[in-house]
Amino acid sequence: MPASDLSAYGGPRWERTPFAGPAAAAALIALGMLVVVWPLAAVVQPGAWSAGAAVTAGSVILTGLVARILTRRSAAWLALPVVPIAQLIVGAVALAVFASKQVTTIAPLPTSHTIDMIGGLVARAQEQIRAGVAPLASTPELAVAVALVTGLLAVVLDLVLVALRAPLGAAVLIAALGAVPSIVVHGGSNPVWFLALAVTILLFLHVRFAPPGSAGPGAHPAAAPVRTRPFTTVVVGALAAVAALVVSPLLPLSAAGIDAGGGTTALSATLDLGQDLRRPAPTTALTLITDDGTAPYLRIATLSAFDGRQWQPDRPPTVPLAQGFGAVTAADGVAEHRAHTTIRTTGISGSWLPVPYQATAVHGVAGAWTAAPDNRTVVAANADAADQNYTIDTTELVPTLAQIRASTASGSDAPESLRALPKNLPPVIAEDAATVTGGATTDYDRLIALQTWFRAGFRYSLNTPVQDGFDGTNVQAIATFLDVREGYCVHFAGAFALMARSLGMPTRIVVGYLPGTSTDRRSDDGRVVFEVGTDELHSWPEVYFAGIGWVPFEPTATRGVPTVFTDPTDSGAGSGPTPAAGATPLPTSSSAAKDKNRPDIPDAGAAGSSARGLDPAPVLWTVAGVVIVLLIPAAVRRLLSVRRMSSARKGDALAAWAELRAILQDLGLPAPVSESPRSRGARLVRERGADPAAVEALVRAVERASYARPGEAAGSRGEATGTELVRALGSISAELRRRVSLRDRIAAVVAPRSLLGARLMPASAS
């Protein structure tokens, strides 16, 4: 580094720039909070939680802005505590107002009663998180909990980044919290979020803030503006962007994307199936064999609550999978059909296992799983659906046509919530339902009329809903679908369920897979292997009948098999429903030996493979990516050190002096700008035990470089040569490091203060 660019008193003679003001601080805090909150979209469904986060975080940030403007000329002892205290007070009021909008019994003021109520909501939210699976429904409890945590995080981030001037701590905070959702859902990081994280960290490192009270009476000279380092900033920013662009493609896409790693489809308990169904190159999701001649529909989740905007996944109570689902009960005279299905997952990943209905037991699954007896689904406790090989025992009720006609759906004892309709339901939904079913005399016949109407008069299309702007399940999308008469399974299922509810029948929607197609492969015992593709994700409605239970229907045009019950005396027909209802008419012979000796399904690409548990790759890649970004400052500091030492070897004393000042800053030791080389040298000998000869050699070389006439060479008149400069600097550096704690030595390497800005220290340390 040329001597003309250096100063012995302050290092590089770069331009001094003012501190960032309150507005810049507010903008940076807002950006940091966006990076923290953004990944929550992968684990929480859209809803009021995002508004709650915006309300509390925005209130805290705006309060910090106003408080800093009002206290910028106040003493430090007043300015420092005022901002977080004001933020906590205003944030509490904002939280109370938001909570009162979610739960009407809460007063919009932070009274003791309100605090108790909010505490209860947060406790229930914790239970929902522990019992649920991502993506969680946006309940009032969860919305209030997210709002509370977001507001507190905004206060902490403001305190760390602005008040304590610790950008590295702020960077670690947002990186760690932002990565948690991706790790929880085992889905990796969103590449766009990862790049946003890198840019945010760059801004954290670049922008400097004045200590609280630095403009007030008696402000210390240490509060003078610090130097910006354009070269350092550019290098850190470039490396951060490169790391994000290089690492993020290695990360599997998050749950918001298609893949969950290794080309697999991430299962989701929502009706957001369009993206997966529109995949240009579908792959095999799973293969199965069954005792019956046809493959069953497979379910992963059910959705019952509808608020007019979206269907919410059910969160039924669960028990360890080993306890089973409980017995299947039926009214007298209703036949039962038992079957065994073996499934091997090859292209899916997630927290649900695809199973036929009605599952009574699951064998051979790897990892910790739970059973939900209410809807006969399997949910992960600590496992993944990837590469599983398991067998499901099922018992299905098979009523005759006469039995199901004699039963009732509208008059069943199902909870009224399963019949609930939103207040903003477009009239066309109920009107069409009444028109289509007007000639039917039983609930079953009404539902068959609806099923036939959809399958005969509508067209299956994945593109029309996107082109016409109704690719969703809200009430307006369903009304548009009924007018356009084109859509895919989520539209058919949603419309059918709402129309049946308008007739007073309890309904729900199932998310899962179509039965798939047969292949030319055979299992060890000669049974046909069925293959289910990733493009066979599906949703269908179910209606609850008294004494029979949930009965599936298939309204989606050209997809699946429509439900039809027949009488035993009908020629060529069985007594039960078609496979759309989950049953098959063929009898099954089973034995204990068959249950224990589960046959393996031959793999299409290999002789066989064993089931494995959770794939750690997404978690490891996510953590590795965050660590790489956080270590960029250490790499840049090392490059600068090498650069300075190279100049020092050529006799550049000012480069050696700049490196010494950087070492002092990294170790958290005083390095005042106003201190002369000789004063600093004497202090290092006196306070830090530095070698007097090494200090004298370095100080004399710096003084000569600063004040000597042009053209005088280094090493003349007994001055130190380049080799001696490096040796002297090495001796001083070793002694300085020896006299500080291990923690400070590690921090000097991992979080170099010479790049990241010193923490709030006495003036002499600046």
Side-chain angles (χ1 to χ4, degrees), residues 233-626:
T233 299
V234 170
V235 172
V236 170
L239 289 179
V242 169
L245 294 175
V246 170
V247 175
S248 60
L250 302 177
L251 299 172
L253 291 181
S254 68
I258 295 177
D259 288 346
T264 60
T265 296
L267 298 178
S268 174
T270 70
L271 292 182
D272 187 18
L273 307 182
Q275 189 176 26
D276 283 325
L277 292 173
R278 284 187 283 266
R279 293 182 71 169
T283 58
T284 300
L286 56 90
T287 54
L288 65 90
I289 57 175
T290 179
D291 294 337
D292 297 321
T294 55
Y297 278 59
L298 303 174
R299 66 180 52 212
I300 60 173
T302 60
L303 304 90
S304 301
F306 182 65
D307 59 5
R309 294 174 299 175
Q310 60 186 353
W311 289 85
Q312 303 288 353
D314 296 329
R315 297 189 304 276
T318 59
V319 298
L321 186 59
Q323 295 184 17
F325 300 83
V328 175
T329 58
D332 292 341
V334 177
E336 295 181 354
H337 175 79
R338 291 181 173 83
H340 306 275
T341 302
T342 299
I343 296 175
R344 168 174 288 179
T345 61
T346 57
I348 60 175
S349 176
S351 301
W352 299 269
L353 274 185
V355 294
Y357 193 65
Q358 300 186 48
T360 56
V362 178
H363 313 286
V365 68
W369 295 86
T370 62
D374 288 353
N375 62 359
R376 306 274 169 172
T377 58
V378 180
V379 183
N382 183 19
D384 193 280
D387 296 337
Q388 296 281 356
N389 191 2
Y390 54 101
T391 293
I392 310 99
D393 301 337
T394 56
T395 300
E396 183 197 2
L397 301 182
V398 188
T400 63
L401 176 60
Q403 288 172 332
I404 197 167
R405 277 179 170 166
S407 180
T408 176
S410 57
S412 66
D413 58 354
E416 285 302 313
S417 60
L418 298 173
R419 298 182 175 90
L421 290 169
K423 295 180 180 179
N424 60 339
L425 187 74
V428 65
I429 295 177
E431 291 170 358
D432 281 355
T435 300
V436 172
T437 63
T441 58
T442 69
D443 286 344
Y444 169 74
D445 290 326
R446 294 184 183 96
L447 295 169
I448 291 298
L450 282 177
Q451 178 179 265
T452 303
W453 182 66
F454 279 115
R455 293 185 67 87
F458 286 66
R459 179 176 173 268
Y460 184 90
S461 173
L462 289 170
N463 298 321
T464 300
V466 177
Q467 296 168 356
D468 291 1
F470 65 96
D471 190 15
T473 57
N474 60 72
V475 290
Q476 293 303 323
I478 296 302
T480 304
F481 165 69
L482 293 176
D483 179 53
V484 176
R485 297 201 172 194
E486 290 188 16
Y488 56 98
C489 59
V490 298
H491 303 99
F492 286 93
F496 187 102
L498 291 178
M499 293 173 77
R501 285 192 178 189
S502 73
L503 300 174
M505 303 183 197
T507 64
R508 68 185 182 188
I509 294 177
V510 184
V511 175
Y513 283 96
L514 290 165
T517 56
S518 61
T519 69
D520 57 359
R521 287 177 286 147
R522 297 292 184 270
S523 64
D524 296 340
D525 56 2
R527 287 182 287 173
V528 175
V529 175
F530 293 87
E531 189 173 275
V532 179
T534 53
D535 59 343
E536 292 181 280
L537 272 171
H538 194 52
S539 62
W540 62 93
E542 290 185 333
V543 182
Y544 187 83
F545 280 80
I548 296 174
W550 289 101
V551 176
F553 289 84
E554 182 54 279
T556 303
T558 72
R559 292 296 184 272
V561 184
T563 296
V564 178
F565 286 86
T566 59
D567 284 324
T569 56
D570 289 349
S571 176
S575 62
T578 65
T584 54
L586 300 179
T588 301
S589 61
S590 61
S591 64
K594 183 174 291 186
D595 290 342
K596 294 179 180 179
N597 301 316
R598 172 175 49 86
D600 283 340
I601 303 175
D603 195 345
S609 64
S610 58
R612 62 173 174 82
L614 173 65
D615 181 7
V619 176
L620 295 179
W621 277 118
T622 300
V623 173
V626 171

